[in-house]
Amino acid sequence: MHPQRIQSLIKECGLGLFDLACRVSALTTWDLNVPVGVIDARRSTPKLTVTAIGTINSVVRASATIGHPLMRRFFERMEAVGVDQALNESNSGPESEAFEEVWQAYKDERRRGEAPMWSIEDATDFVMTSREALSDREVACVAILPGEPHAIVTFSVPIAFLTSG
């Protein structure tokens, strides 16, 4: 997906990831307090934030609407034909009434604060990934990459790799 960019981010955030790996290495059982890394790479210097997996949505805001199949279809069309054309298609198609309800809920979410970054389903998948990562002796991470819209990439890094000299 973005392997070279992820490798670069791991190197740039190495010191913070080392500290995170040391914290994770001390754990033997998974719970909602397991620390994970969030690398915000939308600016020239990436910023690593460490948070408990149970509070991941306070750092990477989740949306109840962007995972809806109609919104996913809209976003795919938006990338292909632009916002205006994708909206026209969604508002005039056979599912236009259902789309309008989801679209309104999406706009309401955006008005309430910072724009959602991923779906609740994506967040839930990452929580489960963090459980697997701990059992594999890895650190679970999320990277927010620049773009319109931004990209979210989840990955894990072996503790041994992050703590080796």
Short mmCIF file of all heavy atoms in Angstrom, two decimals, residues 34-98:
data_model
loop_
_atom_site.label_atom_id
_atom_site.label_comp_id
_atom_site.label_asym_id
_atom_site.label_seq_id
_atom_site.Cartn_x
_atom_site.Cartn_y
_atom_site.Cartn_z
N VAL A 34 -3.76 -1.01 26.47
CA VAL A 34 -2.55 -1.26 25.68
C VAL A 34 -2.24 -0.01 24.84
O VAL A 34 -3.12 0.50 24.13
CB VAL A 34 -2.74 -2.49 24.76
CG1 VAL A 34 -1.63 -2.60 23.74
CG2 VAL A 34 -2.83 -3.75 25.59
N PRO A 35 -1.01 0.50 24.94
CA PRO A 35 -0.68 1.69 24.16
C PRO A 35 -0.43 1.37 22.68
O PRO A 35 0.10 0.31 22.35
CB PRO A 35 0.59 2.21 24.83
CG PRO A 35 1.20 1.03 25.50
CD PRO A 35 0.06 0.10 25.84
N VAL A 36 -0.87 2.28 21.84
CA VAL A 36 -0.65 2.18 20.40
C VAL A 36 -0.11 3.52 19.91
O VAL A 36 -0.25 4.55 20.59
CB VAL A 36 -1.96 1.82 19.65
CG1 VAL A 36 -2.44 0.44 20.05
CG2 VAL A 36 -3.04 2.85 19.87
N GLY A 37 0.47 3.52 18.73
CA GLY A 37 1.03 4.74 18.16
C GLY A 37 0.17 5.28 17.03
O GLY A 37 -0.35 4.51 16.22
N VAL A 38 0.02 6.60 17.02
CA VAL A 38 -0.67 7.29 15.92
C VAL A 38 0.33 8.29 15.36
O VAL A 38 0.78 9.19 16.07
CB VAL A 38 -1.93 8.02 16.40
CG1 VAL A 38 -2.58 8.77 15.24
CG2 VAL A 38 -2.92 7.05 17.04
N ILE A 39 0.69 8.11 14.10
CA ILE A 39 1.63 9.01 13.44
C ILE A 39 0.84 9.89 12.48
O ILE A 39 0.29 9.42 11.50
CB ILE A 39 2.72 8.23 12.67
CG1 ILE A 39 3.48 7.30 13.61
CG2 ILE A 39 3.66 9.21 11.96
CD1 ILE A 39 4.44 6.35 12.90
N ASP A 40 0.81 11.18 12.79
CA ASP A 40 0.15 12.13 11.91
C ASP A 40 1.21 12.70 10.97
O ASP A 40 2.07 13.47 11.38
CB ASP A 40 -0.51 13.25 12.72
CG ASP A 40 -1.37 14.16 11.87
OD1 ASP A 40 -1.22 14.14 10.62
OD2 ASP A 40 -2.19 14.90 12.44
N ALA A 41 1.15 12.26 9.73
CA ALA A 41 2.16 12.65 8.74
C ALA A 41 1.62 13.63 7.72
O ALA A 41 2.14 13.74 6.62
CB ALA A 41 2.68 11.40 8.04
N ARG A 42 0.58 14.37 8.09
CA ARG A 42 0.00 15.32 7.14
C ARG A 42 0.81 16.60 7.02
O ARG A 42 0.58 17.39 6.13
CB ARG A 42 -1.44 15.64 7.53
CG ARG A 42 -2.36 14.43 7.38
CD ARG A 42 -3.73 14.71 7.88
NE ARG A 42 -3.69 14.85 9.33
CZ ARG A 42 -4.70 15.24 10.08
NH1 ARG A 42 -5.86 15.56 9.52
NH2 ARG A 42 -4.58 15.33 11.39
N ARG A 43 1.74 16.81 7.89
CA ARG A 43 2.62 17.99 7.83
C ARG A 43 4.03 17.52 7.48
O ARG A 43 4.31 16.34 7.42
CB ARG A 43 2.60 18.71 9.16
CG ARG A 43 1.18 19.07 9.57
CD ARG A 43 1.04 20.35 10.28
NE ARG A 43 -0.25 20.80 10.71
CZ ARG A 43 -1.44 20.29 10.54
NH1 ARG A 43 -1.60 19.19 9.90
NH2 ARG A 43 -2.53 20.85 10.99
N SER A 44 4.95 18.46 7.30
CA SER A 44 6.30 18.08 6.88
C SER A 44 7.04 17.25 7.92
O SER A 44 7.83 16.38 7.57
CB SER A 44 7.11 19.33 6.53
OG SER A 44 7.19 20.19 7.65
N THR A 45 6.78 17.49 9.20
CA THR A 45 7.38 16.70 10.26
C THR A 45 6.30 15.84 10.90
O THR A 45 5.35 16.37 11.48
CB THR A 45 8.02 17.61 11.33
OG1 THR A 45 8.98 18.46 10.71
CG2 THR A 45 8.69 16.78 12.41
N PRO A 46 6.42 14.52 10.80
CA PRO A 46 5.39 13.66 11.39
C PRO A 46 5.39 13.76 12.91
O PRO A 46 6.43 13.99 13.53
CB PRO A 46 5.77 12.25 10.93
CG PRO A 46 7.21 12.33 10.57
CD PRO A 46 7.49 13.75 10.17
N LYS A 47 4.20 13.59 13.49
CA LYS A 47 4.05 13.68 14.94
C LYS A 47 3.49 12.36 15.45
O LYS A 47 2.44 11.91 15.01
CB LYS A 47 3.10 14.82 15.29
CG LYS A 47 2.87 14.95 16.78
CD LYS A 47 1.85 16.02 17.09
CE LYS A 47 1.59 16.02 18.58
NZ LYS A 47 0.30 16.60 18.89
N LEU A 48 4.21 11.75 16.39
CA LEU A 48 3.77 10.51 17.01
C LEU A 48 3.00 10.83 18.28
O LEU A 48 3.49 11.58 19.13
CB LEU A 48 4.97 9.61 17.36
CG LEU A 48 4.65 8.36 18.18
CD1 LEU A 48 3.83 7.37 17.37
CD2 LEU A 48 5.93 7.72 18.69
N THR A 49 1.81 10.28 18.39
CA THR A 49 1.02 10.37 19.61
C THR A 49 0.80 8.95 20.10
O THR A 49 0.47 8.07 19.32
CB THR A 49 -0.36 11.03 19.32
OG1 THR A 49 -0.12 12.33 18.79
CG2 THR A 49 -1.20 11.13 20.57
N VAL A 50 1.00 8.76 21.39
CA VAL A 50 0.76 7.44 21.99
C VAL A 50 -0.53 7.55 22.78
O VAL A 50 -0.72 8.50 23.55
CB VAL A 50 1.93 7.02 22.90
CG1 VAL A 50 1.60 5.72 23.62
CG2 VAL A 50 3.21 6.87 22.07
N THR A 51 -1.42 6.60 22.57
CA THR A 51 -2.70 6.58 23.28
C THR A 51 -3.07 5.14 23.59
O THR A 51 -2.57 4.22 22.95
CB THR A 51 -3.80 7.26 22.44
OG1 THR A 51 -4.97 7.43 23.23
CG2 THR A 51 -4.14 6.47 21.20
N ALA A 52 -3.93 4.97 24.56
CA ALA A 52 -4.44 3.63 24.85
C ALA A 52 -5.40 3.23 23.73
O ALA A 52 -6.13 4.07 23.19
CB ALA A 52 -5.16 3.63 26.19
N ILE A 53 -5.42 1.96 23.40
CA ILE A 53 -6.30 1.49 22.33
C ILE A 53 -7.75 1.83 22.64
O ILE A 53 -8.54 2.12 21.73
CB ILE A 53 -6.10 -0.03 22.04
CG1 ILE A 53 -6.84 -0.43 20.76
CG2 ILE A 53 -6.55 -0.87 23.21
CD1 ILE A 53 -6.38 0.22 19.50
N GLY A 54 -8.11 1.86 23.90
CA GLY A 54 -9.49 2.18 24.28
C GLY A 54 -9.88 3.62 24.03
O GLY A 54 -11.07 3.94 24.03
N THR A 55 -8.90 4.48 23.79
CA THR A 55 -9.19 5.89 23.52
C THR A 55 -8.74 6.31 22.13
O THR A 55 -8.58 7.49 21.85
CB THR A 55 -8.55 6.81 24.58
OG1 THR A 55 -7.13 6.61 24.57
CG2 THR A 55 -9.10 6.53 25.97
N ILE A 56 -8.55 5.34 21.24
CA ILE A 56 -8.05 5.64 19.89
C ILE A 56 -8.95 6.65 19.16
O ILE A 56 -8.46 7.50 18.43
CB ILE A 56 -7.87 4.35 19.04
CG1 ILE A 56 -7.15 4.65 17.73
CG2 ILE A 56 -9.20 3.65 18.78
CD1 ILE A 56 -5.73 5.09 17.88
N ASN A 57 -10.25 6.60 19.41
CA ASN A 57 -11.14 7.51 18.68
C ASN A 57 -11.10 8.94 19.21
O ASN A 57 -11.69 9.83 18.61
CB ASN A 57 -12.57 6.98 18.69
CG ASN A 57 -12.71 5.78 17.78
OD1 ASN A 57 -11.99 5.65 16.80
ND2 ASN A 57 -13.61 4.89 18.10
N SER A 58 -10.38 9.18 20.30
CA SER A 58 -10.18 10.55 20.73
C SER A 58 -9.00 11.19 19.97
O SER A 58 -8.88 12.39 19.91
CB SER A 58 -9.94 10.64 22.24
OG SER A 58 -8.73 10.00 22.58
N VAL A 59 -8.17 10.34 19.37
CA VAL A 59 -7.04 10.83 18.58
C VAL A 59 -7.35 10.77 17.09
O VAL A 59 -7.06 11.69 16.34
CB VAL A 59 -5.76 10.02 18.91
CG1 VAL A 59 -4.58 10.50 18.08
CG2 VAL A 59 -5.44 10.11 20.39
N VAL A 60 -7.93 9.66 16.65
CA VAL A 60 -8.34 9.49 15.26
C VAL A 60 -9.87 9.39 15.29
O VAL A 60 -10.43 8.35 15.57
CB VAL A 60 -7.72 8.21 14.65
CG1 VAL A 60 -8.08 8.09 13.17
CG2 VAL A 60 -6.22 8.19 14.83
N ARG A 61 -10.50 10.50 15.01
CA ARG A 61 -11.96 10.59 15.17
C ARG A 61 -12.70 9.66 14.22
O ARG A 61 -12.42 9.62 13.02
CB ARG A 61 -12.40 12.03 14.92
CG ARG A 61 -13.82 12.27 15.31
CD ARG A 61 -14.06 13.74 15.60
NE ARG A 61 -15.46 13.92 15.89
CZ ARG A 61 -16.36 14.29 14.99
NH1 ARG A 61 -16.00 14.56 13.77
NH2 ARG A 61 -17.62 14.40 15.33
N ALA A 62 -13.63 8.89 14.80
CA ALA A 62 -14.39 7.91 14.01
C ALA A 62 -15.74 8.48 13.61
O ALA A 62 -16.31 9.32 14.30
CB ALA A 62 -14.59 6.63 14.82
N SER A 63 -16.23 7.99 12.51
CA SER A 63 -17.50 8.42 11.95
C SER A 63 -18.48 7.26 11.91
O SER A 63 -18.12 6.15 11.52
CB SER A 63 -17.29 8.94 10.53
OG SER A 63 -18.52 9.06 9.85
N ALA A 64 -19.72 7.55 12.26
CA ALA A 64 -20.77 6.55 12.15
C ALA A 64 -21.32 6.47 10.73
O ALA A 64 -22.06 5.55 10.41
CB ALA A 64 -21.90 6.88 13.13
N THR A 65 -20.95 7.43 9.88
CA THR A 65 -21.54 7.48 8.54
C THR A 65 -20.60 7.11 7.41
O THR A 65 -21.05 6.55 6.41
CB THR A 65 -22.10 8.89 8.23
OG1 THR A 65 -21.05 9.83 8.31
CG2 THR A 65 -23.22 9.25 9.19
N ILE A 66 -19.31 7.39 7.51
CA ILE A 66 -18.44 7.19 6.34
C ILE A 66 -18.24 5.73 5.97
O ILE A 66 -17.82 5.42 4.87
CB ILE A 66 -17.09 7.92 6.44
CG1 ILE A 66 -16.26 7.41 7.60
CG2 ILE A 66 -17.29 9.41 6.52
CD1 ILE A 66 -14.88 8.03 7.69
N GLY A 67 -18.59 4.81 6.87
CA GLY A 67 -18.51 3.40 6.54
C GLY A 67 -19.75 2.86 5.85
O GLY A 67 -19.76 1.73 5.36
N HIS A 68 -20.81 3.69 5.77
CA HIS A 68 -22.05 3.26 5.13
C HIS A 68 -21.77 2.98 3.65
O HIS A 68 -21.05 3.74 2.99
CB HIS A 68 -23.10 4.38 5.28
CG HIS A 68 -24.47 3.96 4.86
ND1 HIS A 68 -24.83 3.84 3.53
CD2 HIS A 68 -25.57 3.64 5.59
CE1 HIS A 68 -26.09 3.47 3.47
NE2 HIS A 68 -26.56 3.33 4.71
N PRO A 69 -22.33 1.91 3.09
CA PRO A 69 -22.06 1.57 1.68
C PRO A 69 -22.34 2.71 0.70
O PRO A 69 -21.59 2.89 -0.27
CB PRO A 69 -22.99 0.39 1.41
CG PRO A 69 -23.24 -0.21 2.76
CD PRO A 69 -23.19 0.93 3.74
N LEU A 70 -23.37 3.51 0.94
CA LEU A 70 -23.66 4.63 0.03
C LEU A 70 -22.58 5.70 0.11
O LEU A 70 -22.23 6.32 -0.91
CB LEU A 70 -25.04 5.22 0.33
CG LEU A 70 -26.23 4.31 0.01
CD1 LEU A 70 -27.54 4.96 0.47
CD2 LEU A 70 -26.29 3.97 -1.47
N MET A 71 -22.06 5.94 1.30
CA MET A 71 -20.98 6.93 1.44
C MET A 71 -19.69 6.39 0.84
O MET A 71 -18.96 7.14 0.19
CB MET A 71 -20.79 7.30 2.91
CG MET A 71 -21.91 8.16 3.48
SD MET A 71 -22.12 9.74 2.60
CE MET A 71 -20.61 10.58 3.04
N ARG A 72 -19.42 5.13 1.04
CA ARG A 72 -18.21 4.55 0.44
C ARG A 72 -18.27 4.67 -1.09
O ARG A 72 -17.29 5.02 -1.74
CB ARG A 72 -18.04 3.09 0.86
CG ARG A 72 -17.60 2.94 2.30
CD ARG A 72 -17.17 1.50 2.58
NE ARG A 72 -16.89 1.28 3.98
CZ ARG A 72 -15.69 1.43 4.54
NH1 ARG A 72 -14.67 1.81 3.80
NH2 ARG A 72 -15.50 1.19 5.82
N ARG A 73 -19.44 4.38 -1.65
CA ARG A 73 -19.62 4.51 -3.10
C ARG A 73 -19.43 5.97 -3.52
O ARG A 73 -18.79 6.24 -4.54
CB ARG A 73 -21.01 4.00 -3.50
CG ARG A 73 -21.15 3.79 -4.98
CD ARG A 73 -22.45 3.11 -5.39
NE ARG A 73 -22.86 2.05 -4.48
CZ ARG A 73 -24.10 1.88 -4.06
NH1 ARG A 73 -25.07 2.65 -4.48
NH2 ARG A 73 -24.40 0.89 -3.23
N PHE A 74 -20.00 6.89 -2.74
CA PHE A 74 -19.85 8.32 -3.04
C PHE A 74 -18.37 8.72 -3.05
O PHE A 74 -17.91 9.39 -3.97
CB PHE A 74 -20.62 9.17 -2.03
CG PHE A 74 -20.24 10.62 -2.07
CD1 PHE A 74 -20.68 11.44 -3.09
CD2 PHE A 74 -19.41 11.15 -1.10
CE1 PHE A 74 -20.31 12.78 -3.15
CE2 PHE A 74 -19.03 12.49 -1.15
CZ PHE A 74 -19.48 13.30 -2.17
N PHE A 75 -17.61 8.30 -2.03
CA PHE A 75 -16.19 8.66 -1.95
C PHE A 75 -15.40 8.08 -3.12
O PHE A 75 -14.51 8.74 -3.67
CB PHE A 75 -15.58 8.21 -0.62
CG PHE A 75 -16.07 9.01 0.56
CD1 PHE A 75 -16.54 8.36 1.70
CD2 PHE A 75 -16.08 10.39 0.55
CE1 PHE A 75 -17.00 9.08 2.80
CE2 PHE A 75 -16.53 11.13 1.64
CZ PHE A 75 -16.99 10.47 2.76
N GLU A 76 -15.73 6.86 -3.52
CA GLU A 76 -15.06 6.27 -4.69
C GLU A 76 -15.34 7.09 -5.94
O GLU A 76 -14.44 7.37 -6.73
CB GLU A 76 -15.52 4.83 -4.89
CG GLU A 76 -14.97 3.86 -3.87
CD GLU A 76 -15.60 2.47 -3.98
OE1 GLU A 76 -16.31 2.19 -4.97
OE2 GLU A 76 -15.38 1.68 -3.05
N ARG A 77 -16.60 7.46 -6.13
CA ARG A 77 -16.97 8.26 -7.31
C ARG A 77 -16.33 9.65 -7.24
O ARG A 77 -15.89 10.19 -8.26
CB ARG A 77 -18.49 8.40 -7.43
CG ARG A 77 -19.19 7.15 -7.85
CD ARG A 77 -18.76 6.66 -9.22
NE ARG A 77 -19.12 7.60 -10.28
CZ ARG A 77 -18.49 7.71 -11.44
NH1 ARG A 77 -17.46 6.94 -11.72
NH2 ARG A 77 -18.90 8.58 -12.34
N MET A 78 -16.28 10.21 -6.03
CA MET A 78 -15.69 11.54 -5.85
C MET A 78 -14.24 11.54 -6.32
O MET A 78 -13.81 12.49 -6.98
CB MET A 78 -15.77 11.95 -4.37
CG MET A 78 -15.24 13.33 -4.09
SD MET A 78 -15.29 13.73 -2.34
CE MET A 78 -13.85 12.87 -1.77
N GLU A 79 -13.50 10.49 -5.99
CA GLU A 79 -12.11 10.42 -6.44
C GLU A 79 -12.01 10.32 -7.96
O GLU A 79 -11.08 10.83 -8.56
CB GLU A 79 -11.40 9.23 -5.78
CG GLU A 79 -11.10 9.49 -4.31
CD GLU A 79 -10.31 8.35 -3.68
OE1 GLU A 79 -9.52 7.69 -4.40
OE2 GLU A 79 -10.49 8.13 -2.48
N ALA A 80 -12.99 9.66 -8.57
CA ALA A 80 -12.95 9.45 -10.01
C ALA A 80 -13.45 10.66 -10.80
O ALA A 80 -12.88 11.01 -11.83
CB ALA A 80 -13.77 8.21 -10.38
N VAL A 81 -14.55 11.30 -10.32
CA VAL A 81 -15.20 12.34 -11.13
C VAL A 81 -15.32 13.69 -10.45
O VAL A 81 -15.82 14.64 -11.05
CB VAL A 81 -16.61 11.88 -11.59
CG1 VAL A 81 -16.52 10.62 -12.44
CG2 VAL A 81 -17.54 11.68 -10.41
N GLY A 82 -14.90 13.80 -9.19
CA GLY A 82 -15.00 15.06 -8.47
C GLY A 82 -16.25 15.11 -7.59
O GLY A 82 -17.19 14.32 -7.77
N VAL A 83 -16.25 16.04 -6.66
CA VAL A 83 -17.32 16.15 -5.66
C VAL A 83 -18.67 16.45 -6.31
O VAL A 83 -19.66 15.78 -6.03
CB VAL A 83 -16.99 17.24 -4.61
CG1 VAL A 83 -18.15 17.42 -3.63
CG2 VAL A 83 -15.73 16.92 -3.87
N ASP A 84 -18.71 17.48 -7.15
CA ASP A 84 -20.00 17.90 -7.72
C ASP A 84 -20.67 16.79 -8.52
O ASP A 84 -21.87 16.53 -8.34
CB ASP A 84 -19.82 19.15 -8.59
CG ASP A 84 -19.42 20.37 -7.77
OD1 ASP A 84 -19.73 20.40 -6.56
OD2 ASP A 84 -18.79 21.28 -8.33
N GLN A 85 -19.91 16.14 -9.37
CA GLN A 85 -20.49 15.08 -10.19
C GLN A 85 -20.93 13.90 -9.32
O GLN A 85 -22.01 13.33 -9.52
CB GLN A 85 -19.48 14.60 -11.24
CG GLN A 85 -20.00 13.48 -12.12
CD GLN A 85 -21.19 13.88 -12.98
OE1 GLN A 85 -21.31 15.04 -13.40
NE2 GLN A 85 -22.08 12.95 -13.23
N ALA A 86 -20.11 13.54 -8.32
CA ALA A 86 -20.47 12.43 -7.43
C ALA A 86 -21.74 12.75 -6.65
O ALA A 86 -22.60 11.88 -6.47
CB ALA A 86 -19.31 12.13 -6.48
N LEU A 87 -21.87 13.99 -6.19
CA LEU A 87 -23.10 14.39 -5.49
C LEU A 87 -24.30 14.34 -6.42
O LEU A 87 -25.37 13.86 -6.03
CB LEU A 87 -22.95 15.80 -4.91
CG LEU A 87 -22.38 15.90 -3.51
CD1 LEU A 87 -22.15 17.35 -3.11
CD2 LEU A 87 -23.26 15.19 -2.49
N ASN A 88 -24.15 14.85 -7.64
CA ASN A 88 -25.25 14.79 -8.60
C ASN A 88 -25.70 13.35 -8.84
O ASN A 88 -26.90 13.07 -8.86
CB ASN A 88 -24.84 15.44 -9.93
CG ASN A 88 -24.79 16.94 -9.84
OD1 ASN A 88 -25.41 17.54 -8.96
ND2 ASN A 88 -24.03 17.56 -10.73
N GLU A 89 -24.75 12.46 -9.03
CA GLU A 89 -25.08 11.05 -9.27
C GLU A 89 -25.79 10.43 -8.06
O GLU A 89 -26.79 9.73 -8.21
CB GLU A 89 -23.82 10.26 -9.59
CG GLU A 89 -23.20 10.60 -10.92
CD GLU A 89 -21.85 9.92 -11.13
OE1 GLU A 89 -21.47 9.03 -10.32
OE2 GLU A 89 -21.17 10.26 -12.11
N SER A 90 -25.27 10.71 -6.87
CA SER A 90 -25.84 10.11 -5.65
C SER A 90 -27.23 10.65 -5.35
O SER A 90 -28.08 9.93 -4.84
CB SER A 90 -24.91 10.38 -4.46
OG SER A 90 -23.66 9.75 -4.66
N ASN A 91 -27.45 11.94 -5.67
CA ASN A 91 -28.74 12.56 -5.40
C ASN A 91 -29.79 12.27 -6.47
O ASN A 91 -30.96 12.60 -6.28
CB ASN A 91 -28.59 14.07 -5.23
CG ASN A 91 -28.00 14.43 -3.88
OD1 ASN A 91 -28.32 13.81 -2.87
ND2 ASN A 91 -27.11 15.40 -3.87
N SER A 92 -29.38 11.67 -7.58
CA SER A 92 -30.36 11.40 -8.63
C SER A 92 -30.52 9.90 -8.92
O SER A 92 -31.33 9.54 -9.75
CB SER A 92 -29.97 12.14 -9.91
OG SER A 92 -28.72 11.69 -10.38
N GLY A 93 -29.80 9.09 -8.21
CA GLY A 93 -29.87 7.65 -8.46
C GLY A 93 -31.04 7.00 -7.75
O GLY A 93 -31.82 7.66 -7.05
N PRO A 94 -31.17 5.70 -7.90
CA PRO A 94 -32.29 4.96 -7.30
C PRO A 94 -32.28 4.98 -5.77
O PRO A 94 -33.32 4.78 -5.15
CB PRO A 94 -32.13 3.54 -7.84
CG PRO A 94 -30.72 3.45 -8.30
CD PRO A 94 -30.29 4.83 -8.67
N GLU A 95 -31.12 5.23 -5.19
CA GLU A 95 -31.03 5.26 -3.72
C GLU A 95 -30.86 6.69 -3.20
O GLU A 95 -30.29 6.91 -2.13
CB GLU A 95 -29.87 4.38 -3.26
CG GLU A 95 -30.05 2.92 -3.67
CD GLU A 95 -28.85 2.07 -3.33
OE1 GLU A 95 -27.76 2.35 -3.88
OE2 GLU A 95 -29.02 1.14 -2.53
N SER A 96 -31.38 7.65 -3.96
CA SER A 96 -31.16 9.06 -3.62
C SER A 96 -31.74 9.45 -2.26
O SER A 96 -31.13 10.22 -1.52
CB SER A 96 -31.69 9.98 -4.72
OG SER A 96 -33.08 9.79 -4.88
N GLU A 97 -32.90 8.91 -1.90
CA GLU A 97 -33.49 9.26 -0.60
C GLU A 97 -32.63 8.72 0.54
O GLU A 97 -32.37 9.43 1.51
CB GLU A 97 -34.92 8.72 -0.49
CG GLU A 97 -35.91 9.50 -1.31
CD GLU A 97 -37.33 8.98 -1.13
OE1 GLU A 97 -37.67 8.53 -0.01
OE2 GLU A 97 -38.09 9.03 -2.11
N ALA A 98 -32.20 7.50 0.43
CA ALA A 98 -31.34 6.91 1.46
C ALA A 98 -30.01 7.66 1.53
O ALA A 98 -29.50 7.94 2.63
CB ALA A 98 -31.10 5.44 1.18
#
